Structures are given as structure tokens and as C-alpha cells.
Amino acid sequence: IQCLYVDPMKAATDDNTISWGMTAQLGGKISGSWDDAKIGIKGGKWVRVGEQVNEVVVAKDVGYQISGAVA
């Protein structure tokens, strides 16, 4: 059983909210594109967009875990 406080307004590193964990962004968003003559009537373009994120625990004191609980 895990009891965690997670701020419903989305915790961020630049405000004064407390939350057990948050999703931290690693660097910026990245993108790339390339032409492909084999698709479409006149060719086409492939586009790839992505970002890297990391799930982190920022305030472990606002949560606890009960293990081995038996009903």
C-alpha cells in the first residue's frame, strides 16, 4: 500500500508547491526531418519529435509505504 501526496496542480521546480514526485525534463525537446522520395505522389517528408523525461521523488516525507499487509 502506498500513500502519497501528489499536488493536483502539477509540481514544478520553480514554484513553492510540495509533491511526492514529479516528471523532470532532461534538456530540451528535439526534432529532425528527412525527405523520402518513395512516399506520396511527389515524395514526402518524415518528421520525428521527442523529449527525454525522468520521474523523480522530490519530497519523500509526504508519502509512505506499507508492505506485507495481510487482509
Side-chain angles (χ1 to χ4, degrees):
I1 301 170
Q2 291 185 340
C3 299
L4 311 171
Y5 177 74
V6 178
D7 185 1
M9 298 303 292
K10 187 179 177 184
T13 58
D14 58 349
D15 61 9
N16 292 324
T17 61
I18 293 178
S19 187
W20 179 81
M22 64 179 280
T23 303
Q25 187 169 349
L26 299 173
K29 295 181 180 180
I30 55 175
S31 65
S33 63
W34 61 94
D35 295 327
D36 187 349
K38 297 179 184 177
I39 60 175
I41 295 174
K42 297 182 179 181
K45 183 176 287 267
W46 288 93
V47 177
R48 184 181 302 169
V49 179
E51 65 180 339
Q52 294 178 315
V53 296
N54 190 20
E55 304 295 332
V56 294
V57 175
V58 292
K60 66 180 181 177
D61 292 341
V62 295
Y64 60 92
Q65 179 176 352
I66 301 170
S67 59
V70 178

